Every structure is written in structure tokens, then in C-alpha cells.
Amino acid sequence: MSTALPTRPVLHSEWIKIRSLRGTFGSLIAILFVTTGIQALTAAAIGQAEEGAMGEDPLLAAFYGITFGQIAAMAFGATALSSEFHDGGLRTSLVAVPNRARFYLSKISLVGGLAFVAGQIAGLATFLAGQSFMGPHSIGLGDPGALRAVFGCGMYLTLMALFAAGLTAVLRSATAVLSLLIPFVLMLSFVIGAGAEGMAEFLPDRAGQMMMRAEAGSVVGHWQGLGVLTLWAGAAVIGGWLAVRRRDV
Amino acid sequence: MNSIEIRELTKEYGRTRAVDHLTFEVLPGRVTGFLGPNGAGKSTTMRLLLGLDRATSGTATIGGQRFTDFPDPLHRVGALLDAQAAHGGRTARAHLSFLAAANRIPARRVEEVLERSGIASAAKRRIKTFSLGMRQRLGIAAALLGDPGVLLLDEPTNGLDPEGIIWVRELMRTLAAEGRTILVSSHLMSETAAFADHLVVLGQGKLLADTSMEEFIDARSTPRVRLRTSDPVRLRAALAREGLEMVGADDGRWTVEGIQAERLGPLAAREGIPMLELSDERASLEQAYLDLTADHAQFAATR
């Protein structure tokens, strides 16, 4: 089993791969800047207009930028994997690292690790930057649930990146994954949300955002929500492994 | 420990049998040409050897070990499978760097192979701007990274200019002389003849020949001479007594099959027939190869 564990050389190799692709590295950086930037701009524009202008839930409203930041996170996860499925890239990679378990685990760990770092920084920066424009309506890190929400924001971005990464290993195309996942995450819970309130809380985006809500959902709690999104992402990552494990390349 | 052992190797894709109970060995110290028409199973055999595809049955090992069990594969085997198999968005240096990093190969070795492959000046360029010939050189650079004892090169001269082809030829000969095992696939006999010492020929996934280049030529070319004489009538009669036939060729020359110059010359001398020109003609290797594989070509134009 230890032969499947990531090693430093393989992680280093995966890091060079990510760093050397503009789109992938750009998406990683964008997780941070888009989430924080949109939050700051929106808060600056309408934050002080009236109580609740950013949304009914002041805590969730502090992470409004995540709606856009999550697209960067998904693009990061998807393109980090899809580069292996263009032009026989996987062949080249597997000749250097023929142990597929080690290859896949290293790649997923690095994607998850980088998204975690970018996500956590984004979570904290988004909260602080956004609130600095909120004037009288602002909340602080000491307020109830604020730290949980900051951590939850980072985890949300991390898990969305892994969700997209796993799916890309199954479908072998970032375009397919993003055109499937973005509507799924942005629109589905919005469309069915009103009707089926209870079940909708199990959708990946709804569940993952529980951490950032002041009030938990009717069925899914704050931390349970994180668990539900972890299951979604975990299922995608395992699906990706099953696809990579045996496939002829 | 650097020989390649293929034992009863079989690979089926659905109902098509791409490789059919293949058994052969590739030994170090010489260049082995891996020949066969398109679709004969050459690339599949290489992919099976590298664990990229899973064999339906049989084994393919290097020094008795499966490739996928090597902890440091690039130090053991260098492979050029498909010159296109590099992400166009990366620079040549980044492409080689991630391969090197995965196998603990120092960064200075990347510069060495860039230099050796003649693409050092293009190291910072994105691969999508590369010509096929440059991609081929990059692929060879990647194969050389770990200074491996075994090299698998799938159509390495594809897209190279004449200078590049000579470079690859020299490179393979040098590497073989250093005691490495070199397996080079090609679908062109004429090209392979220029560098291979040994031949493994496939047709429809089956082994058609596993022999040295010399034996292959000798076994498959019928002796033939080309001559010019001032007295074809007497020579024709003399040859007829030997059971040979003289056939008219262009510009007043004649060809005779089934005899070599060292026999025909003395024969003509005994008869006192003046010979103006006499030379051996070997049936071309290309033709011998085409004859061998004709029945086994998967895709052949009908005439």
C-alpha cells in the first residue's frame, strides 16, 4: 500500500506541471483574486446601502464572492487533470511514473493542497476585505460563526476543485466537466431550491455553503454540510481513480 | 539485465487481435529494427511493454521485471512513443523538467539533453510552436533524460529533415555501441536497413521474422546479375545449357536470375564470350520486406 503514497519527486513533478500551464496556474491564482475582488467590489458598491443589502444572512453575504471564486476553483481542478488527457499526455506521465495509484494520488493531493492554501487565504481575505467596506453593518472575526465560515469558505473552494478534478478524470475533458458542473452548481439549486427545500440542502453547493451560513439548514447542519460536499467530491475522486486505474492509454 | 523479453504476448481490442501470441527477445549492444506495416502491432507491443495498455495474456518484461515495477523507470527505459504526446502549452524545458523531477534527475541533465537533441535554443518556446521534427527531437531528449539502458523509439525519424535522420541514425548506433538495448520501430524497410543490426518483423500481430539484418537479406534476395555483352546469342545458348535464362533489360543490358557474377564471369570466359559489363544485383531489401509482409498488411490498396 505504501507504494501508492505520493513521494516528494512525484509531487514536485506535478507542481512543475501545474506551474507550467498558464490556464491552470492562472485559475489557481484566480481563486484568490476573484473571490476577494468580487467581494470587495460588491461590498464597496452596495454594502452600506441598507441593512442586508448584500443578502439576508450577513455571514453568507460576507462570502458573496465565492459564487465566482468557485468557478475558478472548478477550472483549476478540471484543467489540472485535463492536461493529462490531451495529446497522449497521460502516456508521457505514466512512462515517468508507471505506478498509477501513486500518480493519481500525488496529482489529487497536490490539486487539493494548492486549492486548500489558495482557498483558506481567499476565505480570510474575502471576509476581511469585504467587511472593511461594510461600515456600520460589518461583522468581525470574533462574531459567532465567523471563523467557522472563513474555514468553510476555504474548504468549499478546495472541495469544488477536487469535485471537478475527479469528474475530469472520468470524462477526460475539462470542457465537458465545466459545462456540466457550472450549470449544476450555479443553477440547479436555484431552480429546484424553492420547491424541495429539504433535499436541495444535499446539493454540493448548498451543502458546502452551510458552513458560511449563520443559521444552518433545516436538515443539514453547518458541519454536516461540509461532510455532504466532501462525499460529493470524494465520490468524484474515487470515480476518477476507477477510470484511471485500468484504462488503456 | 537490459534485454527485453516478450513471451506469448496477446492483446485484444474487442474482437480485433492487435498482438497475437508474440514471443521474441531484444538484446543489448545492437540496434533492433521493429518492422511491420501500419497496424501490425508494433506500437501496441511497445505500449504493453510500458504498462500503458494491459495485455490480454502473456508477459512483456525488461530484464525480467515489469516496467511498472521499476521505482525509477526513466533510469531504466527511455521511450519515444508519439512525438505529439506533449502538452502544447508547456515550454520544452518545462516538459522535460517535470519528467526529470519525477525520477530525481537533476535539472542540469535537462539542459544536457536539450543540447544533445539540438533544441537548446528553443527551450523556452511553447511546444505548440514546434515543427514535427522539433517535437521528435524533444521526444528523443525525453527518452535520453535518465541515461537509460533500454530505449524504445516508435518511428523516431518521422518528420525529421535529412540532417535529423542522420543524427538519429548516428545516435542509435552510438547508444547501441555503449551496450544499450535499442528497439526502433518503423514501417519503412529502406530506412531501417540503414541503422539496424537485427530485425523483428510483425504482420497482423504475429511474428514474421526475428533475424539478423544479413540473414534477412541473404535469405530473401535471389541472386541476379546484370550484364552487357557483344555476343548475346552465344551467351544465351551457353546459359541455357546451365538452365538459366537471359532477359533483356533497358539500354542493351541483360539480366540473369539465379546466378552470381563470380560464377557467370568464368563461364563466359571459358566460352570465349566477350563481356562488356558484369555486376551482381541484389533484389532490393524493400522488395523482400514487402513480399514478406504483403499477406499480412491490414490496410492494403487493391490494384
Side-chain angles (χ1 to χ4, degrees):
Chain A
M1 198 55 213
S2 66
T3 55
L5 295 178
T7 57
R8 275 188 59 151
V10 179
L11 287 172
H12 182 205
S13 169
E14 291 298 327
W15 166 237
I16 297 173
K17 282 187 196 173
I18 286 174
R19 204 184 54 195
S20 60
L21 285 180
R22 275 182 197 158
T24 309
F25 194 62
S27 306
L28 177 64
I29 302 300
I31 295 177
L32 182 57
F33 286 99
V34 170
T35 316
T36 313
I38 298 273
Q39 186 72 37
L41 285 175
T42 321
I46 62 166
Q48 296 186 38
E50 54 177 321
E51 176 90 53
M54 294 279 291
E56 286 168 28
D57 186 327
L59 196 52
L60 185 62
F63 297 97
Y64 171 72
I66 206 174
T67 314
F68 302 89
Q70 69 182 348
I71 294 174
M74 290 187 279
F76 169 64
T79 57
L81 268 286
S82 72
S83 63
E84 297 289 346
F85 300 103
H86 286 303
D87 325 313
L90 194 52
R91 274 183 214 160
T92 311
S93 295
L94 290 179
V95 168
V97 186
N99 183 326
R100 294 189 188 200
R102 172 169 290 157
F103 164 75
Y104 187 73
L105 263 180
S106 300
K107 197 169 202 66
I108 289 291
S109 317
L110 193 69
V111 167
L114 290 172
F116 180 79
V117 172
Q120 291 300 339
I121 298 174
L124 187 63
T126 300
F127 185 84
L128 295 178
Q131 294 312 304
S132 71
F133 291 103
M134 298 292 284
H137 308 308
S138 70
I139 47 178
L141 277 174
D143 284 317
L147 282 177
R148 183 198 66 221
V150 166
F151 175 71
C153 173
M155 285 309 294
Y156 182 85
L157 293 168
T158 308
L159 290 168
M160 279 299 180
L162 288 174
F163 191 21
L167 273 185
T168 307
V170 178
L171 299 176
R172 288 188 275 183
S173 154
T175 319
V177 167
L178 291 178
S179 51
L180 200 79
L181 214 52
I182 291 176
F184 182 71
V185 164
L186 291 185
M187 279 145 63
L188 190 66
S189 72
F190 182 74
V191 172
I192 70 165
E197 197 51 58
M199 290 313 289
E201 288 176 15
F202 287 95
L203 288 171
D205 57 320
R206 281 289 187 92
Q209 287 169 12
M210 286 303 167
M211 289 285 279
M212 290 167 269
R213 285 177 184 273
E215 296 288 325
S218 55
V219 193
V220 179
H222 293 125
W223 291 89
Q224 284 166 346
L226 182 63
V228 170
L229 179 55
T230 306
L231 289 178
W232 279 95
V237 166
I238 291 168
W241 165 237
L242 295 177
V244 167
R245 186 177 56 149
R246 288 207 66 88
R247 189 184 282 148
D248 287 349
V249 293
Chain B
M1 77 171 212
N2 281 333
S3 59
I4 299 170
E5 307 96 13
I6 308 287
R7 297 264 176 280
E8 285 293 311
L9 193 66
T10 301
K11 175 66 181 178
E12 287 165 358
Y13 294 103
R15 301 167 102 194
T16 327
R17 193 169 276 184
V19 174
D20 195 353
H21 296 283
L22 207 54
T23 299
F24 64 89
E25 216 166 309
V26 185
L27 299 176
R30 63 190 191 191
V31 179
T32 301
F34 198 23
L35 277 167
N38 290 326
K42 306 181 298 290
S43 300
T44 306
T45 305
M46 287 192 174
R47 284 204 305 275
L48 290 168
L49 189 57
L50 295 170
L52 296 173
D53 286 10
R54 270 159 219 272
T56 307
S57 64
T59 59
T61 52
I62 293 154
Q65 268 185 294
R66 282 183 310 183
F67 177 77
T68 49
D69 291 338
F70 289 142
D72 52 351
L74 294 186
H75 293 285
R76 299 295 304 277
V77 182
L80 166 73
L81 288 184
D82 174 3
Q84 306 297 339
H87 198 291
R90 285 200 182 94
T91 62
R93 182 178 282 127
H95 177 78
L96 294 173
S97 295
F98 85 72
L99 289 172
N103 282 254
R104 294 185 177 89
I105 296 166
R108 98 187 102 77
R109 178 68 185 158
V110 170
E111 304 306 319
E112 278 173 27
V113 295
L114 279 167
E115 203 67 53
R116 187 162 189 188
S117 311
I119 48 171
S121 59
K124 284 184 186 164
R125 272 171 55 189
R126 280 173 203 282
I127 297 166
K128 65 182 162 209
T129 68
F130 278 25
S131 65
L132 180 56
M134 289 172 76
R135 283 169 193 249
Q136 207 69 255
R137 285 171 181 267
L138 177 64
I140 292 169
L144 294 175
L145 259 183
D147 199 15
V150 178
L151 278 134
L152 305 177
L153 307 170
D154 199 357
E155 309 266 354
T157 52
N158 214 352
L160 284 179
D161 50 20
E163 186 211 356
I165 291 174
I166 293 169
W167 169 68
V168 171
R169 206 182 282 169
E170 296 295 312
L171 179 70
M172 290 189 295
R173 300 221 59 93
T174 309
L175 293 169
E178 290 166 3
R180 297 173 215 258
T181 306
I182 322 280
L183 182 64
V184 193
S185 85
S186 175
H187 59 278
L188 300 174
M189 180 71 218
S190 50
E191 182 192 275
T192 309
F195 55 71
D197 309 301
H198 197 85
L199 286 181
V200 171
V201 186
L202 298 191
Q204 288 187 324
K206 291 195 178 74
L207 188 69
L208 299 185
D210 178 0
T211 163
S212 74
M213 183 63 90
E214 269 173 41
E215 281 173 35
F216 184 83
I217 296 170
D218 290 345
R220 268 156 247 283
S221 54
T222 35
R224 185 159 73 158
V225 295
R226 198 172 168 80
L227 59 88
R228 210 149 61 85
T229 174
S230 55
D231 196 348
V233 178
R234 278 179 58 212
L235 183 61
R236 181 191 296 274
L239 287 170
R241 285 195 291 276
E242 301 284 324
L244 298 166
E245 195 189 356
M246 206 164 88
V247 181
D250 49 334
D251 55 29
R253 289 184 174 80
W254 303 82
T255 59
V256 185
E257 282 210 12
I259 190 167
Q260 283 173 316
E262 56 184 25
R263 232 189 93 208
L264 196 144
L267 188 148
R270 271 201 308 280
E271 301 280 337
I273 304 166
M275 301 297 290
L276 307 178
E277 212 178 294
L278 178 63
S279 63
D280 271 325
E281 212 178 49
R282 257 180 179 165
S284 88
L285 207 48
E286 185 94 62
Q287 196 54 48
Y289 163 68
L290 286 176
D291 290 346
L292 178 67
T293 57
D295 304 334
H296 298 275
Q298 193 181 358
F299 308 102
T302 44
R303 271 174 278 184

